[in-house]
Amino acid sequence: MSQLPNQPTEGPVPTSADVARLAGVSRATVSYVMSGSTTVRISEPTRRRVRAAATELGYVPHAAARSLRAGHSRTVLLPTVDLPAGPLHHHFLHELESGLRGLDYTVVQYGSTGLDADEAARAWAELRPVAVVAPGTIPLTPRGISTLRRSGARAVITLGPRPVTGAHALVMDQREIGGRAVAHLLARGRRRIGVIMPEERGLGPYAEPRLAGARDGARNHAALVEPVPLRYEEDAAVGLAARWRDLGFDAVFAYDDTYAMLLMRALEDAGVDVPGETAVIGADDLVLGRLLRPRLSTVRTEPATDQPLADLVDRLVRRPGAAPEHHDLLRAAVVHRESS
Amino acid sequence: MSQLPNQPTEGPVPTSADVARLAGVSRATVSYVMSGSTTVRISEPTRRRVRAAATELGYVPHAAARSLRAGHSRTVLLPTVDLPAGPLHHHFLHELESGLRGLDYTVVQYGSTGLDADEAARAWAELRPVAVVAPGTIPLTPRGISTLRRSGARAVITLGPRPVTGAHALVMDQREIGGRAVAHLLARGRRRIGVIMPEERGLGPYAEPRLAGARDGARNHAALVEPVPLRYEEDAAVGLAARWRDLGFDAVFAYDDTYAMLLMRALEDAGVDVPGETAVIGADDLVLGRLLRPRLSTVRTEPATDQPLADLVDRLVRRPGAAPEHHDLLRAAVVHRESS
DNA sequence: TTGAAAGCGTTACCAA
DNA sequence: TTGGTAACGCTTTCAA
């Protein structure tokens, strides 16, 4: 094991010039060695001297200086908000992140809570990312998109429930989820369907399309579809259950399995029979749905494309200026269990 | 509404020189106006001309160039891994992120899955962050810490279950959770305690200290504490429940409420009475615990400090070189319900 | 095989 | 009140 510097030198940060000096070569040579350039032949002894000097000084190249000189970066910016975003969103985000890293991009998440659309776009543009993949929960205006493109971003992509004009879109269309749920309930003879809408901030962009899909699904049937707001708290559910019979629903599509569980428990405590009196279906197929009694019916969502997201982003970066593309990322299917 | 550029010019990115040219001033003047410098007086008409030119060109300053020139950045790097990390971890991360932004830091999350400790440290160092707050799930070696410090990081901080030698530490000591759980079970007369250990990768850094705390808590009592591995899947739980009576436990401390729910359901289906035959306690006080029957006892964790994390990081940045500090972030308390 | 020098976009100092 | 200039750390062409 090599000697570690025992005093975390508070001194200046070593640069390639320091390495060059220590190794007795020029800065150019250091650069060649560090980047493993093959266009220039450097003797093996020299390489070793340079590497040893770099290690001794703890030299790490300065990314900003490099990309400044290069005129471009390989930074992909993923703005984030700190709101819950659904398991599939996380799945995609993770896949995207590791895939892009594999393609040698530097992936950086940048918290953007509380910034308005154009402030956010400017803040992102300062970092000169080669691509931006923004969640649908952050509004992206045409002006913001323009700012980003003019700052050198070769791809501006939204990832969310809705496409955004002017940007490429990876669409997770939540409407199909609502549509499937309602079709299932209709097929089982239900006609008065409540749709649980979370009152939690930030879930709207997901919940609204699910409701819209539910409504569309009931369009040509003599059926009622009505939103029912609910906070994710026990007493809210108890209150709702207490006036449940007055509402007159014979079925309910909950925003997701966790809300379904919350409601189902409250209904049971209030003496409402599930599924006899009210059928319940959730969404997202969480493990907990199988643990409930009755077992929870749900709408499972799964990736609709086997093309890795990262490849898609990479392609958009390489062929910029192409017309905005929309890609549907979601497939939805009902998993029928006991609660419906 | 002002005129938007109708062609997303594929041309070169505008620089302050372009703005200067268009406004008929020097680059220096542009810089003064854009950064709102007060040390230099610029006439109001000039300011207006500069701002108009900047808007027209869609000019956004180049962060890398700025920090290169300045010799330092206000970037705080939060390396992330894509593993589940507990609700409190998320809470802290979010608080830290928004707090730091309020203190005018640029907070950036950087995915580091799959990198080894020293590779990761080098990758982070390339970005020249002024501070790094690394989750405990990413091992940080003395060498890595040294690399970061020498690259100009004024604070290297770990956020996780364990302090790391040489770095500041925001400790979320999970041991107390196990300790409280076991103390509670002992007080209720239980003597043979199983501790559910998730088999899921990445939970180890949280689960192990919880187990250690449980063992410590039983030290001076004639009690048995034994780990029981469990995958978070229904059939794994069913299998465990089937041989439950052979194991001879009269109580179980589950890693968290979700594992507790999984096990409790399987035990119930296997005819094991809870809490009569086996007492169950979870952790993290999730909403679902109150929805279970019997209602789930749990160990609630809450922030132990009312000093905002961001202020703490800020202080460490301003007073670098100070001896490593440890801060305990967690307080744990048993919430007794029906399952124990 | 190596070195000198230019230039990426900024900002801070010093003159005008 | 404004402008010229140098410097931040790096890569790359051109010459030696």
Side-chain angles (χ1 to χ4, degrees), chain B residues 235-296:
Chain B
D235 51 3
V238 168
L240 177 58
R243 55 196 176 84
W244 189 252
R245 290 202 168 97
D246 299 337
L247 294 171
F249 295 118
D250 59 12
V252 60
F253 162 51
Y255 167 69
D256 73 2
D257 287 353
T258 61
Y259 283 84
M261 176 185 186
L262 177 64
L263 178 63
M264 220 163 73
R265 165 62 60 204
L267 289 179
E268 179 171 322
D269 285 354
V272 176
D273 181 52
V274 174
E277 201 170 342
T278 299
V280 176
I281 185 168
D284 291 349
D285 193 21
L286 305 182
V287 170
L288 71 81
R290 271 175 299 233
L291 303 178
L292 299 177
R293 298 296 180 268
R295 292 180 176 81
L296 182 65

Coordinates of all heavy atoms in Angstrom, one line a residue, chain B residues 235-296:
Chain B
D235 N -43.7 -15.5 -0.7 CA -43.4 -16.9 -0.4 C -42.3 -17.1 0.5 O -42.3 -18.1 1.3 CB -43.1 -17.6 -1.8 CG -42.1 -16.9 -2.6 OD1 -41.6 -15.9 -2.1 OD2 -41.8 -17.4 -3.7
A236 N -41.3 -16.2 0.6 CA -40.3 -16.3 1.6 C -40.9 -16.2 3.0 O -40.5 -17.0 3.9 CB -39.3 -15.2 1.4
A237 N -41.9 -15.3 3.1 CA -42.5 -15.2 4.4 C -43.3 -16.4 4.8 O -43.3 -16.9 5.9 CB -43.4 -13.9 4.5
V238 N -44.0 -16.9 3.8 CA -44.8 -18.2 4.0 C -43.9 -19.3 4.5 O -44.2 -20.0 5.4 CB -45.6 -18.5 2.8 CG1 -46.2 -19.9 2.9 CG2 -46.7 -17.5 2.5
G239 N -42.8 -19.4 3.8 CA -41.8 -20.5 4.2 C -41.3 -20.3 5.6 O -41.3 -21.2 6.4
L240 N -41.0 -19.1 6.0 CA -40.5 -18.8 7.3 C -41.6 -19.1 8.4 O -41.3 -19.8 9.4 CB -40.1 -17.3 7.4 CG -39.6 -16.9 8.8 CD1 -38.5 -17.7 9.3 CD2 -39.3 -15.4 8.8
A241 N -42.8 -18.7 8.0 CA -43.9 -18.9 9.0 C -44.2 -20.4 9.2 O -44.5 -20.9 10.3 CB -45.2 -18.3 8.5
A242 N -44.0 -21.2 8.1 CA -44.2 -22.7 8.2 C -43.3 -23.3 9.2 O -43.7 -24.3 9.9 CB -44.0 -23.3 6.8
R243 N -42.1 -22.8 9.4 CA -41.2 -23.4 10.3 C -41.0 -22.6 11.6 O -40.1 -22.7 12.3 CB -39.8 -23.7 9.7 CG -39.2 -22.5 9.0 CD -38.0 -22.9 8.1 NE -37.5 -21.7 7.4 CZ -36.6 -20.9 8.0 NH1 -36.1 -21.2 9.1 NH2 -36.2 -19.8 7.3
W244 N -42.0 -21.7 11.8 CA -41.8 -20.7 12.9 C -41.8 -21.4 14.2 O -40.9 -21.0 15.1 CB -43.0 -19.7 12.8 CG -42.8 -18.5 13.8 CD1 -43.5 -18.3 14.9 CD2 -41.8 -17.5 13.6 NE1 -43.0 -17.2 15.5 CE2 -42.0 -16.7 14.8 CE3 -40.9 -17.2 12.7 CZ2 -41.2 -15.5 14.9 CZ3 -40.1 -16.1 12.9 CH2 -40.2 -15.2 14.0
R245 N -42.7 -22.3 14.4 CA -42.8 -22.9 15.8 C -41.5 -23.7 16.1 O -41.1 -23.7 17.3 CB -44.0 -23.8 15.9 CG -45.3 -23.0 15.9 CD -46.4 -23.8 16.5 NE -47.6 -22.9 16.7 CZ -48.6 -22.8 15.9 NH1 -48.7 -23.5 14.8 NH2 -49.6 -22.0 16.2
D246 N -40.8 -24.3 15.1 CA -39.6 -24.9 15.3 C -38.5 -24.0 15.8 O -37.6 -24.4 16.5 CB -39.1 -25.6 14.0 CG -40.1 -26.6 13.5 OD1 -40.8 -27.1 14.3 OD2 -40.0 -26.9 12.3
L247 N -38.6 -22.7 15.4 CA -37.6 -21.8 15.8 C -37.7 -21.4 17.2 O -36.7 -21.0 17.9 CB -37.7 -20.5 14.9 CG -37.3 -20.8 13.4 CD1 -37.7 -19.6 12.5 CD2 -35.9 -21.2 13.2
G248 N -38.9 -21.5 17.7 CA -39.1 -21.3 19.2 C -39.0 -19.9 19.7 O -38.7 -19.6 20.8
F249 N -39.3 -18.9 18.8 CA -39.3 -17.5 19.3 C -40.6 -17.1 20.0 O -41.6 -17.6 19.6 CB -39.0 -16.5 18.1 CG -37.7 -16.7 17.5 CD1 -37.6 -17.1 16.1 CD2 -36.5 -16.5 18.2 CE1 -36.4 -17.2 15.5 CE2 -35.3 -16.6 17.6 CZ -35.2 -17.0 16.2
D250 N -40.5 -16.3 21.0 CA -41.8 -15.8 21.5 C -41.9 -14.3 21.2 O -42.9 -13.7 21.6 CB -41.8 -16.0 23.0 CG -40.7 -15.3 23.8 OD1 -39.9 -14.5 23.2 OD2 -40.5 -15.6 25.0
A251 N -41.0 -13.8 20.4 CA -41.1 -12.4 20.0 C -40.2 -12.1 18.7 O -39.3 -12.9 18.5 CB -40.7 -11.4 21.1
V252 N -40.6 -11.1 18.0 CA -39.7 -10.8 16.8 C -39.7 -9.3 16.6 O -40.7 -8.6 16.8 CB -40.3 -11.5 15.5 CG1 -41.7 -11.1 15.2 CG2 -39.4 -11.3 14.3
F253 N -38.5 -8.8 16.4 CA -38.3 -7.4 16.0 C -38.0 -7.4 14.5 O -36.9 -7.9 14.1 CB -37.1 -6.8 16.8 CG -36.5 -5.6 16.2 CD1 -37.4 -4.5 15.9 CD2 -35.2 -5.4 16.1 CE1 -36.8 -3.3 15.4 CE2 -34.6 -4.3 15.5 CZ -35.5 -3.2 15.2
A254 N -38.9 -6.9 13.7 CA -38.7 -6.8 12.3 C -37.9 -5.6 11.9 O -38.0 -4.6 12.6 CB -40.0 -6.8 11.6
Y255 N -37.1 -5.7 10.9 CA -36.3 -4.6 10.4 C -37.0 -3.3 10.3 O -36.6 -2.3 10.8 CB -35.6 -5.0 9.1 CG -35.0 -3.8 8.4 CD1 -33.9 -3.2 8.9 CD2 -35.6 -3.2 7.3 CE1 -33.3 -2.1 8.3 CE2 -35.1 -2.1 6.6 CZ -33.9 -1.6 7.2 OH -33.4 -0.5 6.6
D256 N -38.2 -3.4 9.7 CA -39.0 -2.2 9.7 C -40.5 -2.6 9.5 O -40.8 -3.8 9.5 CB -38.6 -1.2 8.6 CG -39.0 -1.7 7.2 OD1 -39.6 -2.7 7.0 OD2 -38.7 -0.9 6.2
D257 N -41.4 -1.6 9.5 CA -42.8 -2.0 9.5 C -43.2 -2.8 8.3 O -44.2 -3.6 8.4 CB -43.7 -0.7 9.5 CG -43.6 0.0 10.9 OD1 -43.0 -0.6 11.8 OD2 -44.2 1.1 11.1
T258 N -42.6 -2.6 7.1 CA -43.0 -3.4 6.0 C -42.7 -4.8 6.1 O -43.5 -5.7 5.8 CB -42.4 -2.8 4.7 OG1 -41.0 -2.9 4.7 CG2 -42.8 -1.3 4.5
Y259 N -41.5 -5.1 6.6 CA -41.1 -6.5 6.9 C -42.0 -7.1 8.0 O -42.4 -8.3 7.9 CB -39.6 -6.6 7.3 CG -38.7 -6.5 6.1 CD1 -38.3 -5.3 5.6 CD2 -38.3 -7.6 5.4 CE1 -37.5 -5.2 4.4 CE2 -37.5 -7.6 4.3 CZ -37.1 -6.3 3.8 OH -36.3 -6.2 2.7
A260 N -42.4 -6.3 9.0 CA -43.2 -6.7 10.0 C -44.6 -7.1 9.5 O -45.1 -8.2 9.8 CB -43.4 -5.6 11.1
M261 N -45.1 -6.3 8.6 CA -46.4 -6.6 8.0 C -46.3 -7.9 7.2 O -47.2 -8.8 7.3 CB -46.8 -5.5 7.0 CG -48.1 -5.8 6.3 SD -48.5 -4.6 5.0 CE -50.1 -5.1 4.5
L262 N -45.3 -8.1 6.4 CA -45.1 -9.3 5.6 C -45.1 -10.5 6.5 O -45.8 -11.5 6.3 CB -43.8 -9.2 4.9 CG -43.3 -10.3 4.0 CD1 -44.3 -10.6 2.9 CD2 -41.9 -10.1 3.5
L263 N -44.3 -10.4 7.6 CA -44.2 -11.6 8.5 C -45.5 -11.8 9.2 O -46.0 -13.0 9.4 CB -43.1 -11.4 9.5 CG -42.9 -12.5 10.5 CD1 -42.5 -13.8 9.8 CD2 -41.8 -12.2 11.5
M264 N -46.1 -10.8 9.7 CA -47.3 -10.9 10.5 C -48.4 -11.6 9.8 O -49.1 -12.4 10.3 CB -47.7 -9.5 11.0 CG -48.2 -9.5 12.5 SD -48.3 -7.9 13.2 CE -49.7 -7.1 12.4
R265 N -48.6 -11.2 8.5 CA -49.6 -11.8 7.7 C -49.3 -13.3 7.5 O -50.2 -14.1 7.7 CB -49.6 -11.1 6.3 CG -50.4 -11.8 5.3 CD -51.8 -12.0 5.6 NE -52.5 -10.7 5.8 CZ -53.5 -10.5 6.5 NH1 -54.1 -11.5 7.1 NH2 -54.0 -9.3 6.6
A266 N -48.1 -13.6 7.3 CA -47.7 -15.0 7.1 C -47.9 -15.8 8.4 O -48.4 -17.0 8.3 CB -46.3 -15.1 6.6
L267 N -47.6 -15.2 9.5 CA -47.8 -15.9 10.8 C -49.3 -16.2 11.0 O -49.7 -17.2 11.4 CB -47.2 -15.1 11.9 CG -45.7 -15.0 12.0 CD1 -45.2 -14.1 13.2 CD2 -45.1 -16.4 12.1
E268 N -50.1 -15.2 10.7 CA -51.5 -15.3 10.9 C -52.0 -16.4 10.1 O -52.8 -17.3 10.5 CB -52.2 -14.0 10.6 CG -53.7 -14.0 10.8 CD -54.3 -12.6 10.6 OE1 -53.7 -11.7 11.1 OE2 -55.4 -12.5 10.1
D269 N -51.6 -16.4 8.8 CA -52.1 -17.5 7.9 C -51.6 -18.9 8.4 O -52.3 -19.9 8.1 CB -51.6 -17.2 6.5 CG -52.4 -16.1 5.8 OD1 -53.3 -15.6 6.4 OD2 -52.0 -15.7 4.7
A270 N -50.5 -18.9 9.0 CA -50.0 -20.2 9.5 C -50.6 -20.6 10.9 O -50.2 -21.6 11.5 CB -48.5 -20.1 9.6
G271 N -51.5 -19.7 11.4 CA -52.2 -20.0 12.6 C -51.4 -19.6 13.9 O -51.7 -20.1 15.0
V272 N -50.3 -18.9 13.7 CA -49.6 -18.4 14.9 C -50.2 -17.1 15.4 O -50.4 -16.2 14.7 CB -48.1 -18.1 14.5 CG1 -47.4 -17.5 15.7 CG2 -47.4 -19.3 14.0
D273 N -50.6 -17.1 16.7 CA -51.3 -16.0 17.3 C -50.3 -14.8 17.6 O -49.3 -15.0 18.2 CB -52.0 -16.4 18.5 CG -52.8 -15.3 19.2 OD1 -53.6 -14.6 18.4 OD2 -52.6 -15.0 20.4
V274 N -50.7 -13.6 17.1 CA -49.9 -12.4 17.5 C -50.9 -11.5 18.2 O -52.0 -11.2 17.8 CB -49.5 -11.7 16.2 CG1 -48.8 -10.4 16.5 CG2 -48.5 -12.6 15.4
P275 N -50.5 -11.1 19.4 CA -49.2 -11.2 20.1 C -49.1 -12.4 21.0 O -48.1 -12.7 21.6 CB -49.1 -9.9 20.9 CG -50.5 -9.6 21.3 CD -51.3 -10.1 20.1
G276 N -50.2 -13.2 21.2 CA -50.2 -14.3 22.1 C -49.0 -15.2 22.1 O -48.3 -15.3 23.0
E277 N -48.9 -15.8 20.9 CA -47.8 -16.7 20.8 C -46.5 -16.1 20.4 O -45.4 -16.4 20.9 CB -48.2 -17.7 19.7 CG -47.4 -19.0 19.7 CD -48.0 -20.0 18.7 OE1 -49.2 -19.8 18.3 OE2 -47.3 -21.0 18.4
T278 N -46.5 -15.1 19.6 CA -45.3 -14.3 19.2 C -45.7 -12.8 19.2 O -46.6 -12.4 18.5 CB -44.9 -14.7 17.8 OG1 -44.5 -16.1 17.8 CG2 -43.6 -13.9 17.4
A279 N -44.9 -12.1 19.9 CA -45.1 -10.6 19.8 C -44.3 -10.1 18.7 O -43.2 -10.6 18.3 CB -44.6 -10.0 21.1
V280 N -44.8 -9.0 18.0 CA -44.2 -8.5 16.8 C -44.0 -7.0 17.0 O -44.9 -6.3 17.4 CB -44.9 -8.7 15.5 CG1 -44.3 -8.0 14.3 CG2 -45.1 -10.2 15.3
I281 N -42.8 -6.5 16.7 CA -42.6 -5.0 16.7 C -41.8 -4.7 15.5 O -40.9 -5.4 15.1 CB -41.9 -4.5 18.0 CG1 -41.8 -3.0 18.0 CG2 -40.5 -5.1 18.2 CD1 -41.5 -2.4 19.4
G282 N -42.2 -3.6 14.9 CA -41.5 -3.1 13.6 C -40.7 -1.9 13.9 O -40.2 -1.7 15.1
A283 N -40.4 -1.1 12.9 CA -39.7 0.1 13.1 C -40.1 1.1 12.0 O -40.5 0.7 10.9 CB -38.2 -0.1 13.1
D284 N -39.9 2.4 12.3 CA -40.1 3.5 11.4 C -41.5 4.1 11.4 O -41.8 5.2 10.8 CB -39.8 3.2 10.0 CG -38.3 2.9 9.7 OD1 -37.5 3.2 10.7 OD2 -37.9 2.4 8.7
D285 N -42.4 3.5 12.2 CA -43.8 4.0 12.4 C -44.4 4.5 11.1 O -44.8 5.6 10.9 CB -43.7 5.2 13.3 CG -45.1 5.6 13.8 OD1 -46.0 4.8 13.7 OD2 -45.3 6.8 14.3
L286 N -44.5 3.6 10.1 CA -45.2 3.9 8.9 C -46.7 3.9 9.1 O -47.2 3.2 10.0 CB -44.8 2.9 7.8 CG -43.3 2.7 7.5 CD1 -43.1 1.7 6.4 CD2 -42.7 4.1 7.2
V287 N -47.4 4.6 8.3 CA -48.9 4.7 8.4 C -49.5 3.3 8.4 O -50.4 3.0 9.1 CB -49.5 5.5 7.3 CG1 -51.0 5.4 7.2 CG2 -49.1 7.0 7.4
L288 N -48.9 2.4 7.5 CA -49.6 1.1 7.4 C -49.6 0.3 8.7 O -50.5 -0.5 8.9 CB -48.9 0.3 6.3 CG -47.5 -0.3 6.5 CD1 -47.5 -1.6 7.3 CD2 -46.9 -0.6 5.1
G289 N -48.7 0.6 9.6 CA -48.7 -0.1 10.9 C -50.0 0.1 11.7 O -50.5 -0.8 12.3
R290 N -50.6 1.3 11.5 CA -51.8 1.5 12.2 C -53.0 0.9 11.5 O -54.1 0.8 12.1 CB -52.1 3.0 12.3 CG -51.5 3.7 13.6 CD -51.6 5.1 13.5 NE -50.9 5.7 12.4 CZ -50.0 6.7 12.4 NH1 -49.7 7.2 13.6 NH2 -49.4 7.1 11.3
L291 N -52.8 0.5 10.3 CA -53.9 -0.1 9.5 C -54.0 -1.6 9.7 O -55.0 -2.2 9.3 CB -53.8 0.3 8.0 CG -53.7 1.8 7.7 CD1 -53.5 2.0 6.2 CD2 -54.9 2.5 8.2
L292 N -52.9 -2.2 10.2 CA -52.9 -3.6 10.4 C -53.7 -4.0 11.6 O -54.0 -3.2 12.5 CB -51.5 -4.1 10.6 CG -50.5 -3.8 9.4 CD1 -49.1 -4.3 9.7 CD2 -51.0 -4.5 8.1
R293 N -54.1 -5.3 11.6 CA -54.8 -5.9 12.8 C -54.1 -7.1 13.1 O -54.0 -8.0 12.3 CB -56.3 -6.1 12.5 CG -57.1 -4.9 12.1 CD -57.2 -3.9 13.3 NE -57.9 -2.7 13.0 CZ -57.5 -1.6 12.5 NH1 -56.2 -1.5 12.3 NH2 -58.3 -0.6 12.3
P294 N -53.6 -7.3 14.3 CA -53.5 -6.3 15.3 C -52.7 -5.1 14.9 O -51.8 -5.3 14.1 CB -52.9 -7.0 16.5 CG -52.1 -8.1 15.9 CD -52.9 -8.5 14.7
R295 N -53.0 -3.9 15.5 CA -52.2 -2.8 15.2 C -50.7 -3.0 15.5 O -50.4 -3.6 16.6 CB -52.7 -1.5 15.9 CG -54.1 -1.1 15.4 CD -54.6 0.1 16.2 NE -55.9 0.6 15.6 CZ -57.1 0.0 15.9 NH1 -57.2 -1.0 16.7 NH2 -58.2 0.5 15.3
L296 N -49.8 -2.5 14.7 CA -48.4 -2.9 14.8 C -47.7 -2.0 15.8 O -47.7 -0.8 15.6 CB -47.7 -2.8 13.5 CG -46.3 -3.2 13.4 CD1 -46.1 -4.7 13.7 CD2 -45.7 -2.9 12.0

